[in-house]
Amino acid sequence: MDNSRPSSPDAPPEDLWSSILDSVSTSRSIPSKQIILLGEPSSGKSTIASALLQKPPPDETKEDQRIDFAIGYNWADVRDDADEDTLARLSVYTVPSSAPSFTALLPHFVPPRSSLSHTLVLITLDWTRPWSFIEELEIWLQWVEKWVKGDGSRELEIAKEENRERLQARWQYYTEPSAEPLPATTTVSSTVLPLGPGTLTHNSAGVPIVVVCTKADLIDEGSDIIGSGPSGMGGMVKGKGGEWEERTDSIMQVLRTICLKYGAGLFYTSPQPATLQVLRQYALHTLFMPPPPAPAMASAGEVTAPPRNPFPFQHKPNALDRDRIVIPAGWDSWGKIAVLRDGFDAKLWGEAWENDLDGSDDDAGPKATRLYATLVPDLSRKPPPLPPLNNPTPEQVFLAKNYDENAKNPNRDPRGAFRNPNETTSAGIVGPMGSSSFNLPNVERALTEMEGSAAASANPLNMSVAGEPSRKPPSRTGPRAQPSNLSVPTSAAALAHARANAPSPSPLSVTTPSSGDDQMQHQALKKFFDDLINKRNKSDDKAAAGKSPEGDPGADEGS
């Protein structure tokens, strides 16, 4: 009988569950890829995000249901062509505008130290506002340069170097896609051509960048009126032959020159699903770009081609179709840009871009923003508004207002213009009696002197003519002699006589705001002149009755 027992099994590891979880997570780990979608409001970011994630686009007709967050986020699983295995998880981060309050939040969600090797930056430009292309590109590309600085850690610097080598190798080993599939094992020459002029001069961190011009179907939209239509650009040169086509080609040349400096691709999209699908394929192809060949393998003269990309990009570059431009990174150069339209100086635009980034003075050279403003005028600046319509005041309201003002004005009497400004006495009944030369004593003295001069001229010998009816009366052309029995009353006598015989005031008499004594004085003066005229008329009648009908006896006596 064999009493030997089987040996006991080995003791299980102390941390059994941790080892099981680690093995499962290692076998089913899914890499994470990020896309940072930058653009101004209403530039088509939501449409592009929906196409990248293959989700239905938002309903833009319901404006009240649209919500803009400080940082928009959405994700989706990326599967292979057979839709069997999940290759990665794609996340899309969007910002509503270029305001610093929004862009400052992105480094907290997408830190460059851990996500630089798995991130693509996509910048959207709106073709309905082509005059803003250069300004927006400067803002967003400067933000990318600021974002990659990060915290300056060693891990971040290593990631920058790897990204830079990968992006540079893409330009140096770029080949146009062909219809024939490449063999699994392919060798490439170890001879690496240098980068062309103006290529990859910026973007030291090697961040994959794609510039997308949205709404390209509206490039030629417009009518014969400037600024009309959804874009407002077609009307600027409508009916002028190829001027507008030349201008849009020049815009594309400027964008390609700037993209060449950052190693970026350029795409035009429209609401057509085909253009958006091409953009998605290119974005996935760029995110899954394999690392460049190791330099140590080039000692044998040949190096093995990089591993196969799970998302190949088979679309050929297209620089002619205006609504579906495809310029992948690694294909473009100054020579290809100049072929599109003669007269374009890529070197000049490159220097102008550098002057804008440096913030140098005008004497340092041309600025890209100013050169672009002459190429594409800004149609968003509306003319100053017209002044408000001036409604005239109704005639009756105007007259009523002036009537009230004049009724309250003490100087409204027009006779005040003839009054002596040094005197305050108001006008009298028979004229401007405010003057000191027309008061009653002066008038009495003037009449006395007049009577004396007339009597002296009519009777120089002081002889009485009352008893000589044959004498001729004095001529009417000379001063009339006053009757001897006419006496000029003094002012006191005239005033007493006027008070005793003052008639009732006539309804046509003019009243003035003078005192009672002044009014009585004026009435006395008026009665005095009336009596004087009546007595003169009676004297003339008596002289005419005493004249001889047969002639003057004095005439016969002298004959």
Side-chain angles (χ1 to χ4, degrees):
M1 183 177 181
D2 188 3
N3 294 329
S4 62
R5 289 184 288 181
S7 60
S8 62
D10 297 336
E14 297 180 356
D15 197 358
L16 178 61
W17 290 110
S18 298
S19 60
I20 294 175
L21 293 176
D22 290 341
S23 61
V24 172
S25 62
T26 302
S27 61
R28 300 192 62 182
S29 61
I30 299 176
S32 178
K33 303 292 183 179
Q34 293 90 17
I35 294 179
I36 300 178
L37 187 56
L38 306 176
E40 296 296 338
S42 302
S43 59
K45 298 189 297 293
S46 59
T47 303
I48 293 179
S50 301
L52 293 174
L53 300 175
Q54 289 188 338
K55 293 186 176 182
D59 189 0
E60 297 183 356
T61 59
K62 300 179 180 179
E63 296 291 339
D64 54 344
Q65 297 183 2
R66 296 183 60 183
I67 300 176
D68 287 337
F69 299 96
I71 294 294
Y73 174 77
N74 205 343
W75 65 276
D77 291 334
V78 179
R79 299 181 178 274
D80 56 3
D81 295 338
D83 198 12
E84 295 180 354
D85 298 333
T86 301
L87 301 180
R89 176 165 293 173
L90 181 63
S91 301
V92 177
Y93 297 87
T94 60
V95 292
S97 69
S98 60
S101 57
F102 299 126
T103 56
L105 300 175
L106 277 173
H108 299 282
F109 295 91
V110 190
R113 183 174 61 178
S114 59
S115 59
L116 181 61
S117 303
H118 311 285
T119 303
L120 169 70
V121 176
L122 198 149
I123 302 174
T124 60
L125 302 176
D126 190 355
W127 253 113
T128 61
R129 300 189 301 269
W131 49 81
S132 62
F133 282 177
I134 299 298
E135 183 179 358
E136 292 181 10
L137 274 179
E138 287 185 2
I139 294 175
W140 294 122
L141 292 176
Q142 287 179 354
W143 178 86
V144 172
E145 295 287 351
K146 182 180 178 180
W147 172 69
V148 297
K149 291 181 180 179
D151 54 359
S153 61
R154 177 61 180 169
E155 294 82 357
L156 180 60
E157 295 299 328
I158 295 176
K160 287 182 181 180
E161 293 178 2
E162 292 178 354
N163 263 20
R164 176 76 179 188
E165 293 176 359
R166 184 182 305 175
L167 185 60
Q168 184 173 349
R170 184 175 184 179
W171 283 83
Q172 293 174 338
Y173 293 103
Y174 176 83
T175 56
E176 290 190 15
S178 59
E180 299 179 358
L182 296 176
T185 57
T186 307
T187 58
V188 295
S189 175
S190 60
T191 304
V192 179
L193 298 177
L195 297 176
T199 303
L200 208 58
T201 57
H202 293 65
N203 194 6
S204 59
V207 180
I209 302 175
V210 181
V211 178
V212 182
C213 297
T214 61
K215 307 175 186 178
D217 56 320
L218 302 178
I219 292 179
D220 297 326
E221 177 68 22
S223 60
D224 296 334
I225 303 176
I226 295 178
S228 62
S231 66
M233 294 302 298
M236 185 167 57
V237 290
K238 199 72 173 178
K240 295 184 179 180
E243 181 181 350
W244 174 236
E245 184 176 351
E246 294 177 1
R247 187 167 300 185
T248 53
D249 289 343
S250 299
I251 293 174
M252 184 170 59
Q253 287 177 313
V254 174
L255 295 179
R256 288 171 60 181
T257 303
I258 298 174
C259 291
L260 192 64
K261 300 176 72 66
Y262 290 84
L266 177 64
F267 283 75
Y268 283 14
T269 62
S270 63
Q272 298 295 332
T275 59
L276 298 174
Q277 184 65 21
V278 171
L279 177 62
R280 181 180 183 273
Q281 293 177 4
Y282 181 79
L284 295 177
H285 175 77
T286 304
L287 286 172
F288 287 89
M289 187 188 310
M297 300 178 61
S299 57
E302 292 182 356
V303 296
T304 306
R308 179 179 177 271
N309 193 322
F311 294 96
F313 185 72
Q314 301 297 332
H315 294 273
K316 292 186 177 181
N318 184 2
L320 300 178
D321 295 334
R322 298 157 59 82
D323 58 344
R324 52 186 67 192
I325 299 296
V326 177
I327 307 293
W331 175 80
D332 213 354
S333 64
W334 277 8
K336 295 178 181 177
I337 294 174
V339 169
L340 180 63
R341 183 73 61 178
D342 295 337
F344 182 79
D345 191 354
K347 182 179 180 181
L348 174 64
W349 279 95
E351 294 176 354
W353 178 263
E354 297 290 342
N355 294 333
D356 271 3
L357 296 182
D358 296 340
S360 57
D361 299 334
D362 296 341
D363 299 337
K367 297 291 188 66
T369 52
R370 295 186 179 180
L371 292 177
Y372 192 79
T374 59
L375 178 64
V376 183
D378 188 356
L379 298 183
S380 63
R381 300 176 182 177
K382 298 181 180 180
L386 297 175
L389 182 62
N390 185 13
N391 294 325
T393 306
E395 181 180 357
Q396 296 301 324
V397 176
F398 176 78
L399 294 177
K401 178 182 177 181
N402 287 271
Y403 176 78
D404 295 339
E405 293 179 357
N406 292 330
K408 299 176 182 179
N409 186 8
N411 299 324
R412 66 183 183 278
D413 190 355
R415 293 176 293 179
F418 304 97
R419 187 180 306 160
N420 190 352
N422 297 326
E423 299 179 1
T424 59
T425 307
S426 59
I429 296 176
V430 294
M433 298 300 295
S435 177
S436 61
S437 60
F438 291 97
N439 54 12
L440 189 58
N442 292 340
V443 173
E444 181 181 355
R445 187 181 305 108
L447 291 176
T448 304
E449 294 176 356
M450 185 185 300
E451 181 183 0
S453 61
S457 60
N459 190 7
L461 298 179
N462 294 329
M463 297 177 63
S464 176
V465 295
E468 298 178 0
S470 60
R471 299 290 295 175
K472 272 188 176 183
S475 176
R476 294 184 179 270
T477 58
R480 186 184 301 272
Q482 298 295 333
S484 59
N485 58 353
L486 179 62
S487 63
V488 179
T490 61
S491 60
L495 182 59
H497 181 72
R499 287 179 179 177
N501 301 324
S504 60
S506 175
L508 299 178
S509 61
V510 181
T511 60
T512 58
S514 61
S515 63
D517 295 341
D518 293 339
Q519 185 175 3
M520 295 299 295
Q521 185 179 4
H522 297 327
Q523 293 178 359
L525 183 61
K526 180 176 181 299
K527 184 171 180 56
F528 168 73
F529 279 107
D530 292 341
D531 295 342
L532 181 62
I533 293 173
N534 294 333
K535 290 181 180 181
R536 180 177 297 179
N537 292 335
K538 292 179 181 180
S539 300
D540 292 341
D541 294 339
K542 291 179 181 180
K547 181 179 180 182
S548 175
E550 296 179 358
D552 190 357
D556 296 339
E557 184 178 356
S559 57

